[in-house]
Amino acid sequence: MRFIFSSGARSVLALLIFILLSIPAYSGWGEGIQAELQPGETVEVDGYSVELSDISVVPESPAALINIYSNGSISSTVMRAGEFFVLKDMHNREKLGVKLEEIRREGYLSNESRAILEIRMRSRPEISISMSPDRDIYRSGDQIRVEVFVENRGDGNAESIRLLLNLSEPHSDVLNGTMKEIGKKMRRSLLRPGEVWRERICFQTPSLPERDSIELVAAAEYLDADSNRYRSETILPIAVSGPVELHKHVQEIQTFGRTYYVINSIRNTGKVRLGLSFTDSAGNEFQSEGVAVKEFELIPGESKIISYAVKARHPGEGLVLPPARCTYSIAGSTYTVISESPVVDVFGPQIEAKRYATSGGDPDEFQVCMEVKNTGNRYAGVRAYRIFPESVEISDGKNDLSFALAAGSSRTICWSVRCPNGSCALPPVDLIYFDSENNIFRCEVPSLRLERHLEINTSGKNITDSHVVETSRSIQKREVESDPSEFVLALILLISALIWVRSI
């Protein structure tokens, strides 16, 4: 059979043949980078150093000496424009390709010339495996469903891929039956760059004596275009609960002063009857009668609820209740399950108050002050009635108070009072305060004793009551200066006695 081509067709055919002959040189190679080097210059590519050692500027046949350094070894080659050099490893696998694109002569000396190199790394597949379970934690006997994603993130085709799945010891036998059923599907002939292969497996959760995790191991074995072997592996930890489930719950947002209930739920999810020892407490932030140790048994599938009342000791955010604990034994070994530690935000006012006294200008007069603080985290309306008994005369201020106090603020109120005979007892004060929802609270201010007295000790120094130390001293001094009659009377009596003695 004869084929007749025109001159134009022959030109096109020649171009196609040239292209086809050029393709094998780049088949299986990744994208290249270009470098324009002078003699002595080096370019780094993926752990390789490519050096333009020298250039021959012979006009008829210019050439370049190329050195390639890798892991302490050196490979040298002389190349002319258009030639392609392939570096291979000890196993004769192609690693690096260098093409001399062009030599530019810029003078008659080699160091005045340049060489343009195109450098390519061999295309390689890179398999990445990821796994996604359908739950965060599994109970004994549950079905575990896992999606497996195999992605080629390299720049070359992955061929003859085999996916291997198994559980780590001592649970490796759990997947035996599953792998027999799906083993035929765990193969792919080709996975191109960027492609994702998805599989789904399902198997039963093994029975564990306590909460632990099992490891699902996924491995992919595959080849590249040159039949080089590779292996990628990943591990997925899967949380498995033991035969006892223990959960502790309480309302997370609470109003200060109200009572709430802690709910502990215990369930036997195992396959045998269990004897359980349960302990729990409300901790330091809450007041409660508490729950001591409780002993009971649960058959498989049975549940028990243990609850008790709590009340916050003070407002605050992020108050923590300690976890509950449940202890049981299996095959002579003892295990403990620990519940969650509930975190609670408690909102409301909390009033703290104290009284103190100083003396006034008069011997029977005192200044009594009350400092009131809102240590809570909400507004408080404060009221108090009959702060002083009827026997105490109030010369400045009222015998009641009513004001608002913002969270974290304080206020000091003072009264001038007069006590009969210089001393009196102030009974406790019952402060009533309330929040914006009209929840009523109480705060008791302790009693306070007011008195002035002077005692003489053996050293002759004045000792006064601690409430009025400075005032007592000033009062005694003022009394001596303001009453000279006693001194004059004593002087007259003394003169009279002297006259009487002389007359005798």
Side-chain angles (χ1 to χ4, degrees):
M1 184 179 292
R2 298 177 61 191
F3 295 91
I4 300 174
F5 299 97
S6 65
S7 59
R10 286 196 297 270
S11 299
V12 173
L13 181 61
L15 179 60
L16 291 173
I17 292 173
F18 174 76
I19 294 174
L20 292 173
L21 292 174
S22 301
I23 288 175
Y26 292 99
S27 177
W29 294 93
E31 295 183 0
I33 63 169
Q34 280 197 342
E36 186 173 340
L37 306 176
Q38 286 183 315
E41 293 182 336
T42 302
V43 63
E44 302 287 338
V45 180
D46 199 20
Y48 294 89
S49 298
V50 180
E51 178 191 30
L52 177 61
S53 179
D54 199 4
I55 294 178
S56 171
V57 291
V58 177
E60 296 79 10
S61 181
L65 175 61
I66 307 296
N67 293 331
I68 303 175
Y69 301 91
S70 174
N71 297 326
S73 62
I74 179 173
S75 300
S76 300
T77 181
V78 176
M79 301 179 67
R80 291 175 174 79
E83 292 184 343
F84 188 77
F85 172 76
V86 176
L87 178 68
K88 298 182 179 180
D89 62 12
M90 64 178 64
H91 303 291
N92 203 35
R93 294 181 296 195
E94 297 177 345
K95 292 294 184 182
L96 183 75
V98 180
K99 181 181 180 182
L100 179 58
E101 295 279 359
E102 181 184 357
I103 295 178
R104 293 179 178 175
R105 295 176 56 192
E106 299 181 2
Y108 293 98
L109 300 176
S110 62
N111 60 3
E112 295 178 348
S113 302
R114 296 174 177 272
I116 299 177
L117 304 178
E118 183 179 9
I119 306 168
R120 294 173 179 262
M121 296 298 298
R122 188 66 176 170
S123 297
R124 299 296 182 202
E126 182 183 349
I127 293 295
S128 172
I129 307 173
S130 61
M131 294 183 284
S132 176
D134 63 336
R135 296 187 201 172
D136 294 329
I137 186 169
Y138 296 87
R139 296 182 302 191
S140 175
D142 287 346
Q143 290 294 312
I144 299 177
R145 295 175 175 84
V146 179
E147 286 190 314
V148 185
F149 301 90
V150 182
E151 180 181 3
N152 184 359
R153 296 184 177 179
D155 57 3
N157 292 337
E159 302 177 3
S160 302
I161 310 150
R162 183 186 178 197
L163 182 61
L164 305 172
L165 294 167
N166 207 344
L167 290 177
S168 58
E169 296 294 340
H171 311 289
S172 56
D173 59 334
V174 173
L175 276 176
N176 284 347
T178 303
M179 292 305 298
K180 289 179 182 178
E181 296 177 4
I182 63 177
K184 295 181 180 179
K185 299 194 305 180
M186 295 298 181
R187 295 180 183 271
R188 286 286 291 267
S189 60
L190 180 66
L191 199 62
R192 296 181 176 85
E195 287 187 340
V196 179
W197 169 24
R198 175 181 172 184
E199 287 288 351
R200 179 178 295 173
I201 64 170
C202 181
F203 57 95
Q204 192 173 40
T205 306
S207 178
L208 303 180
E210 64 178 335
R211 178 166 178 162
D212 203 348
S213 64
I214 58 176
E215 293 182 342
L216 178 61
V217 183
E221 297 177 349
Y222 55 100
L223 306 176
D224 62 11
D226 301 323
S227 297
N228 299 311
R229 294 185 176 276
Y230 299 86
R231 179 184 173 91
S232 297
E233 185 176 295
T234 189
I235 296 176
L236 172 67
I238 300 175
V240 179
S241 65
V244 175
E245 285 188 359
L246 172 60
H247 299 286
K248 181 176 182 177
H249 300 285
V250 70
Q251 189 165 323
E252 297 178 352
I253 298 178
Q254 299 183 7
T255 298
F256 179 59
R258 292 186 181 178
T259 299
Y260 296 85
Y261 284 88
V262 173
I263 307 296
N264 287 284
S265 59
I266 307 102
R267 183 182 180 189
N268 181 358
T269 61
K271 300 178 180 180
V272 297
R273 177 189 292 268
L274 293 175
L276 302 167
S277 176
F278 173 84
T279 58
D280 191 20
S281 73
N284 298 324
E285 307 290 354
F286 296 82
Q287 58 185 0
S288 172
E289 296 180 359
V291 177
V293 177
K294 288 186 176 292
E295 307 283 348
F296 54 91
E297 288 189 350
L298 292 179
I299 63 174
E302 186 180 6
S303 300
K304 185 177 181 64
I305 300 295
I306 299 176
S307 63
Y308 57 94
V310 295
K311 183 183 290 187
R313 298 183 184 276
H314 58 84
E317 298 179 36
L319 305 184
V320 179
L321 284 155
R325 297 173 182 270
C326 215
T327 302
Y328 58 96
S329 297
I330 295 179
S333 298
T334 301
Y335 304 94
T336 300
V337 178
I338 302 175
S339 74
E340 306 88 350
S341 294
V343 179
V344 180
D345 295 333
V346 180
F347 297 100
Q350 185 175 37
I351 294 299
E352 296 179 0
K354 64 179 181 179
R355 285 189 297 183
Y356 57 91
T358 59
S359 63
D362 189 271
D364 296 335
E365 187 177 277
F366 295 87
Q367 186 179 51
V368 178
C369 296
M370 182 186 298
E371 183 182 7
V372 183
K373 294 182 180 179
N374 183 0
T375 59
N377 49 25
R378 287 294 185 269
Y379 152 94
V382 183
R383 294 176 183 171
Y385 304 98
R386 295 184 181 178
I387 301 171
F388 300 96
E390 295 180 357
S391 60
V392 175
E393 178 184 347
I394 303 174
S395 58
D396 184 14
K398 297 181 179 180
N399 202 12
D400 59 10
L401 54 83
S402 178
F403 58 89
L405 205 56
S409 63
S410 63
R411 184 172 178 178
T412 301
I413 305 97
C414 295
W415 298 264
S416 293
V417 301
R418 185 182 298 273
C419 293
N421 302 320
S423 65
C424 57
L426 303 183
V429 176
D430 189 22
L431 289 181
I432 299 175
Y433 62 99
F434 50 90
D435 58 17
S436 58
E437 299 178 0
N438 289 324
N439 294 306
I440 298 175
F441 309 88
R442 293 182 181 275
C443 170
E444 184 179 276
V445 185
S447 60
L448 181 65
R449 178 80 181 173
L450 303 179
E451 60 180 273
R452 283 192 188 89
H453 61 276
L454 179 64
E455 296 179 359
I456 306 298
N457 64 8
T458 56
S459 63
K461 294 182 180 179
N462 293 341
I463 301 176
T464 56
D465 183 81
S466 59
H467 290 301
V468 288
V469 173
E470 297 180 357
T471 307
S472 297
R473 291 176 180 173
S474 63
I475 290 174
Q476 295 298 329
K477 181 179 180 182
R478 185 173 67 251
E479 288 177 349
V480 171
E481 293 178 349
S482 61
D483 192 8
S485 58
E486 293 182 2
F487 175 76
V488 174
L489 179 60
L491 183 60
I492 293 172
L493 291 175
L494 178 61
I495 294 172
S496 300
L498 289 173
I499 295 172
W500 180 75
V501 169
R502 285 183 180 182
S503 64
I504 295 175

